């Protein structure tokens, strides 16, 4: 029996890490756990107060699949922009028929997504109480049980066509991290080379704006007119899309067994005219 690859060594979690955000060992460990970990990997008890926030990637994938069924949209190819370690891409690949492509600016997250996909399983470590870590083993679907998966380093603000236009594009918790969020949405709305006419766009976002990611003048919404980000996004997308569904989806990133980052993303699915 071959040993699963080590996606992230435990010792790395204890070192001073000067990498860019989302590229550090601690961030990669948290996202691996959020994207692939079981409930019992994430919490020390099943009835943890945040347990309902577990399974974010699967819930988003289910929501998109339901929207595809409701709008009778066949999804042969899907594009997961800002995919990080690829958990949502993997969940999508269980029902998308041909291919899921994931891109991210973080080279380490893409390298981990590729390694896990190639080997089908892997191990990584999570911080425990005090200066300890614990190993977590994860497994993904066999190639025969899923669509083809491709992961690449890529920038949401420099999107280029990848073969035929996609049937579905997903921006999960990335719009408030790119330097030109409006431009990113326009690229997907105003031409059909990335997302086809008749395709689906899913935008999930906690609207957590920070000047280190995008200049405040780029943020969706306005302080002057007290326009919330969700309203500004809708005004932008309504010209080219019909709204299929709108909801809030909770997620959780584990820092250690006593500290968690809880978020609720505003999730909309849009059908392109
Ligand atoms: C908050 S994380 C969300 C990860 C994942 N989509 C999720 O929902 O769990 C934001 C991700 O967007 C990536 N990112 C930031 N700016 C990006 C850009 N311009 N293009 C592509 N990915 C970007 C980061 O590297 C990070 O992996």
């Amino acid at each position: 029996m071959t040993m699963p690859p080590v996606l992230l060594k435990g010792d790395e979690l204890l070192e001073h890490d000067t990498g860019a955000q989302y590229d550090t060992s601690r961030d990669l460990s948290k996202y691996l756990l959020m994207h692939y970990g079981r409930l019992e990997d994430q919490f020390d008890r099943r009835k943890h107060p945040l347990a309902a926030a577990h399974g974010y990637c699967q819930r988003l994938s289910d929501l998109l699949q339901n929207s595809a069924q409701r709008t009778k949209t066949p999804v042969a190819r899907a594009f997961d922009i800002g995919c990080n370690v690829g958990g949502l891409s993997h969940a999508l690949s269980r029902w998308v028929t041909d291919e899921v492509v994931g891109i991210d600016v973080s080279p380490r997250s893409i390298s981990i997504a590729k390694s896990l996909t190639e080997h089908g399983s892997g191990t990584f470590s999570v911080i425990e109480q005090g200066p300890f870590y614990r190993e977590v083993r994860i497994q993904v679907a066999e190639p025969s049980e899923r669509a083809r998966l491709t992961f690449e380093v890529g920038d949401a603000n420099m999107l280029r066509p990848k073969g035929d236009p996609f049937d579905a594009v997903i921006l999960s918790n990335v719009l408030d991290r790119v330097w030109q969020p409006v431009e990113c949405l326009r690229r997907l709305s105003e031409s059909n080379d990335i997302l086809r006419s008749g395709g689906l766009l899913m935008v999930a976002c906690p609207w957590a704006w920070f000047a280190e990611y995008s200049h405040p003048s780029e943020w969706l919404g306005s302080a002057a007119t007290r326009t919330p980000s969700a309203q500004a996004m809708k005004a932008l997308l309504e010209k080219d899309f019909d709204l299929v569904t709108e909801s809030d989806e909770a997620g959780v990133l584990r820092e250690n067994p006593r500290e968690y980052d809880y978020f609720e993303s505003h999730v909309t699915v849009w059908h392109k005219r």
Side-chain angles (χ1 to χ4, degrees):
M1 203 176 76
T2 55
M3 292 293 285
V6 180
L7 303 167
L8 194 70
K9 290 195 197 99
D11 286 346
E12 292 179 43
L13 299 175
L14 310 180
E15 287 163 10
H16 177 55
D17 196 332
T18 53
Q21 201 191 353
Y22 302 112
D23 224 30
T24 67
S25 300
R26 287 225 184 191
D27 275 344
L28 293 164
S29 166
K30 286 190 287 186
Y31 276 94
L32 276 164
L33 191 62
M34 174 188 152
H35 283 201
Y36 299 103
R38 299 165 306 166
L39 187 70
E40 52 271 40
D41 294 322
Q42 199 159 22
F43 302 109
D44 57 6
R45 55 194 189 279
R46 290 198 75 79
K47 290 194 176 165
H48 191 281
L50 296 175
H54 178 74
Y56 172 84
C57 291
Q58 188 59 52
R59 276 181 280 119
L60 242 63
S61 168
D62 292 346
L63 201 61
L64 187 65
Q65 186 177 18
N66 290 339
S67 300
Q69 284 162 355
R70 264 177 62 188
T71 55
K72 300 190 177 15
T73 308
V75 182
R77 295 181 73 237
F79 191 22
D80 181 8
I81 300 175
C83 64
N84 198 271
V85 290
L88 179 53
S89 306
H90 268 276
L92 294 166
S93 76
R94 302 298 299 267
W95 61 271
V96 168
T97 54
D98 290 1
E99 184 181 26
V100 180
V101 178
I103 65 160
D104 201 287
V105 282
S106 152
R108 284 188 79 194
S109 68
I110 289 297
S111 156
I112 286 176
K114 281 183 175 174
S115 175
L116 178 60
T117 307
E118 184 189 336
H119 296 95
S121 63
T123 64
F124 66 99
S125 293
V126 295
I127 287 288
E128 277 298 63
Q129 292 192 37
F132 312 113
Y133 51 82
R134 164 172 60 86
E135 194 176 85
V136 176
R137 185 179 171 151
I138 49 177
Q139 196 154 359
V140 292
E142 301 279 328
S144 60
E145 296 169 343
R146 57 166 170 81
R148 188 166 69 253
L149 275 157
T150 312
F151 292 103
E152 290 168 21
V153 174
D155 190 332
N157 274 136
M158 296 174 71
L159 295 175
R160 303 203 199 302
K162 294 184 183 301
D164 290 339
F166 289 96
D167 304 298
V169 172
I170 301 96
L171 289 164
S172 170
N173 302 331
V174 67
L175 206 54
D176 54 5
R177 293 291 175 269
V178 303
W179 45 286
Q180 288 183 309
V182 172
E183 204 39 53
C184 176
L185 289 178
R186 285 221 178 98
R187 184 74 186 82
L188 298 168
S189 346
E190 289 177 0
S191 73
N192 291 332
D193 58 347
I194 308 275
L195 176 62
R196 73 168 167 90
S197 164
L200 295 170
L201 171 66
M202 173 182 255
V203 184
C205 198
W207 308 123
W209 303 105
F210 289 95
E212 67 221 64
Y213 298 116
S214 46
H215 190 273
S217 61
E218 296 283 342
W219 297 350
L220 283 157
S222 155
T225 58
R226 300 198 62 78
T227 308
S229 300
Q231 198 176 315
M233 178 193 66
K234 283 180 186 172
L236 209 109
L237 291 180
E238 272 164 0
K239 290 180 224 140
D240 301 288
F241 294 85
D242 295 312
L243 182 61
V244 180
T245 178
E246 180 172 17
S247 58
D248 295 316
E249 288 299 331
V252 66
L253 286 155
R254 176 187 176 282
E255 296 282 348
N256 68 50
R258 292 183 180 277
E259 189 183 350
Y260 291 83
D261 284 340
Y262 172 86
F263 63 86
E264 270 174 28
S265 287
H266 170 245
V267 185
T268 46
V269 181
W270 301 84
H271 193 212
K272 197 172 185 184
R273 284 183 217 113

